[in-house]
Amino acid sequence: MNFRFPRACLSSGLMLVLLTFLVEPSAHAVPSFARQTGMACEACHTVWPELTHFGRVFKANGYTLDNLKQVRGVTVQREEILSLASLPPLSLMVQVAYTQLATPLPDSSGVGNSQNGTASFPQQISLFYAGKIAPHAGAFIQLTYGNDSGTLGIDNTDIRFAGLQVLPGDQSLIYGVSLNNNPTVQDLWNTTPAFGFPYATSNIAPGAAVSTQIDGARGQDVAGLSFYAFWNESFYGELGAYRSAKQATAGPLDSASAGGVVSGIAPYWRLAYEHNWGRHSLEAGLYGAKFKIFPDLAASDGAGYGQVLKGPTDDFQDVAQDLQYQYMGDKNLFSVTATRIHEKQTYSATALALGINTVGADLTTFRAAATYYYKRKFGGTVGYFSTTGGAALYNPADPANEMPASLSLTRADTQGWMAEINYVPWLNTKFSIQYTGFNKFQGLSSNYDGTGRNARDNNTLYLLGWLSY
Amino acid sequence: MRNVMLLSAGLLLILCAGAVFADEVVDPEVVAHAERLAVGTCGTCHGVKGVSKQPKFPRLAGQNPAYLAAQMKAFRSQQRGDPDAIGYMWGMSASLEDSTIEALAAYYAVQTAVGASVASDGASVARGREIYEKGIEAAGVPACSACHGPDAHGIADFPRLAGQHAQYVMKQLASFQNNMRNVAVMHGVAQALKVDEMRSVAVFLETLP
């Protein structure tokens, strides 16, 4: 590793000290779910955003548990037709960050380097409505301002309706439906992409250029309805369907819609089993989706492409496994999460447009992380990530261009590890120092971009102050 | 035969009358509300019928109703205050009305208690039984059975302890000792208990039906 620390250390230290002063110490600062339920964060989270068993059940139940004074409406039969909390369950989340790369990125002019050491203030500010909206319905709605977009936009959203049935033999059945905008945002475990580790990363540092569809690629780009059942708080099954729902456009989707358009609906499925004993919780599961996409070739390739949202599609079949273990002691908390996603890609539409035979590829992502916390105050995570194979059509020399003129079969391998140290002075405030090391970046460990840049030049030191109120 | 039938009919009548009488006292609406709460809200932690699976959450099934009601009120008035009580139960109980509390207590009292586990450590169980039945004279620890009953099913307003999670019992004893759960009687009892004695008696109690 050719990382020289002194300056980074100094600035990081300064930053932490600064942050500590900027944050108002308030022991009663608890975000909206806590406000609504009257329970401290620890009921639902080991350390947020990781959920405990109770947190998972609370989510499955539609975020409806509440303890606030309600404004009620009932029919003559005393049927509940309105139940509004006297205070709306709102929250604010702020992330401020500082990113330092091992070697600065090239300047956009092509001459020299960009500045290294980037402050993000904020990296992200989010407003949440998180809580009950009606007797059996609740929502988690996130609006985010990001320094990358420079605008306020919709972020992860999950609106659900849930019911609970006690079956003979004291078995319980929770069932419901979720309307959401990111496959796996509705999931209950911290193994799946939307709420999996890493919970926050720098938006300045270079990251893997390709990902499977279910791994965030369609976040806020689709809308889906999924039906789920959670039997005895252990067996979980879910079936859903997603359709394109683009942002920053209101008109009907057409060949120019960025990122491609889902043909019909994309099915989503999930199976999981959770076993809890004593202070332990173990989950193993499967999930997947199939996306048939009309690529947005017209936009990048001009007249070359004759098909407009019809004919063959580019197909992505995702099948994933996941595993989670949690130990919750009074002082020591420990958890392990892992997932492996395999995607089978078949580029029929693209091949037709290029006048070649259909090409296919496999893309596999694996992520695992182990987290330890002492008294929910001091903790750390070590993680491994890798994406290998696939993305046959990806041209590494031109990362911005999804549709290269010539078919390059370069592999998309990106692989490395992460280590994070966290300090949680109050349950709603977290300071993290995160280090990401790359063994391979976009297929190669050295000279991956043809200009002599090595994978480890992208090694990243990331300081984060994260608070929710 | 006829007599038996008459007798049964008479009994049935009395029982029904009792049921009707009970209904007059307790508003069925409140009972239904409490049941919904117990299943849908409290059940997630305490089990739908009060038999929780996780040791952090006490079992409520078969517990003495007067004790249950008193505890819910103690949470509500923020008097029972160890960290778990504050983190979980202060909020949970904040908006419970007295009538709901009574109905919840009645709901749990009639559920069937289930022993939590069969302990593997025989020596510890034996030591626990000894403390439970005889106390520790040298240290001035009274016999628990005097107040909690020989079978640990509770007496009058003294709570049932049989089948309770050992982890929960241990933590309560520690909280009585350091007064985070401030109850004079149990502070006196727990004052001189050492950690391994707490563990023994807790493990013993967990094995009781």
Side-chain angles (χ1 to χ4, degrees):
Chain A
M1 212 188 314
N2 65 347
F3 210 139
R4 271 174 293 279
F5 263 105
R7 230 186 52 186
C9 276
L10 194 70
S11 33
S12 57
L14 260 173
M15 195 73 187
L16 265 182
V17 171
L18 254 175
L19 282 172
T20 315
F21 280 108
L22 282 174
V23 177
E24 197 182 315
S26 160
H28 297 286
V30 284
S32 52
F33 283 137
R35 259 178 217 120
Q36 165 180 306
T37 60
M39 285 187 294
C41 318
E42 73 214 55
C44 289
H45 296 287
T46 52
V47 171
W48 50 281
E50 187 183 321
L51 291 178
T52 62
H53 174 75
F54 177 74
R56 291 188 274 279
V57 175
F58 172 72
K59 184 170 179 179
N61 269 320
Y63 312 110
T64 49
L65 195 163
D66 71 82
N67 252 307
L68 291 174
K69 228 178 147 70
Q70 303 284 312
V71 179
R72 284 187 203 283
V74 290
T75 62
V76 241
Q77 288 81 32
R78 300 262 196 123
E79 191 194 342
E80 217 170 29
I81 50 172
L82 184 73
S83 172
L84 283 182
S86 45
L87 288 169
L90 296 175
S91 274
L92 198 68
M93 181 186 97
V94 182
Q95 291 182 332
V96 292
Y98 180 81
T99 305
Q100 175 102 13
L101 294 175
T103 307
L105 288 165
D107 191 86
S108 49
S109 70
V111 184
N113 288 327
S114 60
Q115 188 184 46
N116 204 356
T118 308
S120 305
F121 192 96
Q123 178 175 322
Q124 184 175 325
I125 289 188
S126 295
L127 180 70
F128 295 86
Y129 178 98
K132 183 166 140 178
I133 43 182
H136 291 280
F140 176 95
I141 300 171
Q142 183 179 2
L143 286 176
T144 295
Y145 166 88
N147 65 344
D148 43 9
S149 66
T151 57
L152 185 72
I154 186 91
D155 204 333
N156 285 333
T157 291
D158 171 25
I159 301 170
R160 38 175 95 207
F161 176 89
L164 180 122
Q165 199 66 45
V166 179
L167 307 174
D170 298 352
Q171 317 278 350
S172 67
L173 182 73
I174 300 169
Y175 55 89
V177 51
S178 158
L179 174 63
N180 65 75
N181 66 352
N182 183 3
T184 74
V185 78
Q186 75 275 36
D187 196 50
L188 307 181
W189 292 272
N190 291 93
T191 47
T192 47
F195 287 112
F197 182 83
Y199 302 120
T201 49
S202 172
N203 59 358
I204 283 147
V210 287
S211 72
T212 61
Q213 295 292 307
I214 208 168
D215 194 9
R218 294 284 152 196
Q220 293 85 54
D221 188 56
V222 289
L225 206 55
S226 70
F227 296 85
Y228 63 91
F230 198 14
W231 178 77
N232 231 11
E233 298 177 14
S234 64
F235 274 108
Y236 181 85
E238 181 179 352
L239 260 185
Y242 286 87
R243 193 158 163 81
S244 277
K246 304 263 172 206
Q247 304 308 315
T249 167
L253 302 179
D254 67 10
S255 61
S257 298
V261 175
V262 175
S263 162
I265 53 168
Y268 169 86
W269 56 273
R270 170 80 160 129
L271 283 173
Y273 175 73
E274 171 173 320
H275 177 62
N276 292 284
W277 73 103
R279 293 162 178 267
H280 311 266
S281 178
L282 184 68
E283 178 265 351
L286 296 168
Y287 59 101
K290 179 157 190 178
F291 288 88
K292 289 169 167 288
I293 306 278
F294 293 116
D296 59 342
L297 295 175
S300 56
D301 230 25
Y305 183 61
Q307 306 278 332
V308 175
L309 301 193
K310 67 179 201 312
T313 50
D314 288 348
D315 296 351
F316 305 85
Q317 170 110 45
D318 294 0
V319 177
Q321 301 86 34
D322 69 307
L323 190 73
Q324 174 173 297
Y325 167 78
Q326 292 176 311
Y327 170 80
M328 260 173 291
D330 287 330
K331 290 198 181 107
N332 302 300
L333 294 105
F334 177 67
S335 57
V336 177
T337 55
T339 192
R340 178 187 174 277
I341 307 169
H342 175 260
E343 181 169 274
K344 189 167 165 34
Q345 309 175 331
T346 314
Y347 293 94
S348 305
T350 304
L352 182 72
L354 296 172
I356 57 166
N357 292 330
T358 294
V359 287
D362 290 275
L363 189 64
T364 306
T365 290
F366 177 75
R367 271 194 297 266
T371 300
Y372 169 79
Y373 268 97
Y374 178 69
K375 288 188 168 174
R376 293 177 154 76
K377 216 173 187 120
F378 305 99
T381 301
V382 286
Y384 172 80
F385 58 87
S386 117
T387 294
T388 54
L393 299 169
Y394 177 70
N395 180 359
D398 186 9
N401 188 351
E402 288 182 10
M403 190 52 235
S406 64
L407 256 182
S408 149
L409 285 168
T410 307
R411 295 166 69 83
D413 304 14
T414 294
Q415 205 177 67
W417 53 274
M418 252 180 176
E420 189 178 290
I421 297 172
N422 300 307
Y423 170 52
V424 186
W426 310 288
L427 285 180
N428 66 335
T429 307
K430 194 193 264 184
F431 296 109
S432 304
I433 301 177
Q434 186 188 74
Y435 188 80
T436 307
F438 291 96
N439 303 327
K440 260 191 193 167
F441 198 85
Q442 293 172 13
L444 296 167
S445 45
S446 57
N447 191 19
Y448 72 84
D449 65 348
T451 71
R453 193 168 174 88
N454 301 325
R456 66 168 184 277
D457 292 335
N458 289 337
N459 289 3
T460 306
L461 176 71
Y462 176 59
L463 307 176
L464 173 71
W466 190 356
L467 48 134
S468 341
Y469 182 81
Chain B
M1 190 62 201
R2 229 190 112 113
N3 284 349
V4 174
M5 278 181 68
L6 261 176
L7 202 72
S8 332
L11 263 174
L12 210 72
L13 252 173
I14 295 170
L15 277 175
C16 290
V20 169
F21 179 69
D23 272 353
E24 277 170 5
V25 174
V26 184
D27 183 352
E29 194 99 19
V30 174
V31 173
H33 173 59
E35 265 185 47
R36 270 200 308 275
L37 261 182
V39 171
T41 303
C42 324
T44 321
C45 293
H46 293 291
V48 285
K49 300 252 165 110
V51 183
S52 81
K53 295 196 190 81
Q54 292 186 15
K56 190 186 201 70
F57 309 125
R59 298 190 151 183
L60 307 178
Q63 184 56 281
N64 176 334
Y67 169 75
L68 285 175
Q71 296 311 307
M72 284 183 248
K73 288 176 184 169
F75 290 129
R76 191 181 58 185
S77 60
Q78 311 197 339
Q79 272 159 352
R80 176 170 165 182
D82 90 351
D84 286 331
I86 296 173
Y88 293 81
M89 285 307 300
W90 282 17
M92 273 291 113
S93 57
S95 58
L96 294 178
E97 284 163 22
D98 281 357
S99 56
T100 315
I101 286 183
E102 302 299 336
L104 279 167
Y107 172 87
Y108 287 118
V110 299
Q111 307 299 336
T112 317
V114 182
S117 82
V118 182
S120 48
D121 184 352
S124 201
V125 173
R127 174 79 181 120
R129 176 189 294 280
E130 193 182 315
I131 297 172
Y132 188 82
E133 288 172 353
K134 305 201 180 89
I136 308 169
E137 224 186 310
V141 177
C144 320
S145 57
C147 295
H148 293 285
D151 52 3
H153 285 194
I155 300 178
D157 287 353
F158 301 119
R160 173 194 178 94
L161 302 175
Q164 189 56 278
H165 295 292
Q167 181 191 316
Y168 170 79
V169 168
M170 262 192 80
K171 209 207 63 182
Q172 296 311 311
L173 289 172
S175 293
F176 286 128
Q177 193 173 57
N178 61 26
N179 267 332
M180 273 207 260
R181 182 172 171 184
N182 197 347
V183 180
V185 187
M186 277 305 298
H187 177 69
V189 173
Q191 209 170 12
L193 282 178
K194 299 197 187 74
V195 173
D196 59 315
E197 291 161 351
M198 290 182 190
R199 184 177 299 118
S200 298
V201 76
V203 170
F204 161 69
L205 287 168
E206 192 172 39
T207 63
L208 291 184

